[in-house]
């Protein structure tokens, strides 16, 4: 099945919506869930949680980054920010995963 690649604006909107849902308990009114900074490798985009969102120790699984495929598949992943080299390495693996599954 051939899926249409989404424009960046749609991919970013998906990341913002997923971030709002995932971090809703820790967001204050008006807070942005993700940073403006993001990276792209192949079929995947990685977005980073805003540092204004404090994740308490008991909610460690919420301490993550968001990855969105060019087709709109959203995943929560390990967060290596601000080490962008490590982020790119991880994102390459995610891009390969999306490629293999056609998502």
């Amino acid at each position: 099945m051939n899926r249409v690649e989404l424009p960046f604006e749609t991919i970013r909107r998906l990341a913002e919506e997923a971030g709002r849902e995932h971090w809703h308990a820790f967001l204050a009114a008006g807070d942005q869930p993700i940073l403006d900074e993001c990276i792209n490798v192949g079929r995947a985009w990685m977005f980073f949680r805003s540092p204004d969102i404090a994740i308490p120790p008991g909610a460690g699984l919420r301490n993550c980054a968001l990855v969105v495929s060019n087709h709109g598949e959203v995943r929560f992943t390990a967060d290596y920010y601000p080490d962008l080299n490590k982020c790119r390495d991880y994102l390459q693996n995610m891009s390969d995963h999306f490629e293999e599954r056609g998502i």
Side-chain angles (χ1 to χ4, degrees), residues 44-76:
W45 290 86
M46 184 176 276
F47 298 89
F48 309 104
R49 178 177 48 87
S50 169
D52 295 334
I53 302 171
I55 305 297
L61 292 177
R62 301 283 182 196
N63 190 9
C64 58
L66 289 160
V67 173
V68 182
S69 78
N70 285 348
H71 298 295
E73 189 72 23
V74 178
R75 296 284 201 274
F76 297 94

Side-chain angles (χ1 to χ4, degrees):
M1 175 178 174
N2 251 346
R3 296 176 73 179
V4 176
E5 286 193 18
L6 299 174
F8 174 74
E9 294 78 18
T10 301
I11 291 169
R12 181 167 184 83
R13 183 179 46 76
L14 289 170
E16 288 175 354
E17 290 171 0
R20 281 189 202 293
E21 183 178 321
H22 193 67
W23 299 308
H24 73 277
F26 314 111
L27 277 170
D31 279 354
Q32 292 298 315
I34 58 176
L35 295 175
D36 288 336
E37 181 178 21
C38 63
I39 58 174
N40 172 246
V41 173
R43 299 173 74 115
W45 290 86
M46 184 176 276
F47 298 89
F48 309 104
R49 178 177 48 87
S50 169
D52 295 334
I53 302 171
I55 305 297
L61 292 177
R62 301 283 182 196
N63 190 9
C64 58
L66 289 160
V67 173
V68 182
S69 78
N70 285 348
H71 298 295
E73 189 72 23
V74 178
R75 296 284 201 274
F76 297 94
T77 66
D79 187 358
Y80 299 111
Y81 189 82
D83 185 341
L84 295 181
N85 289 326
K86 199 166 186 177
C87 290
R88 280 188 189 85
D89 289 344
Y90 191 88
L91 192 54
Q92 180 64 63
N93 290 332
M94 290 298 300
S95 179
D96 294 345
H97 169 80
F98 292 147
E99 176 82 32
E100 290 168 4
R101 285 158 183 75
I103 52 177

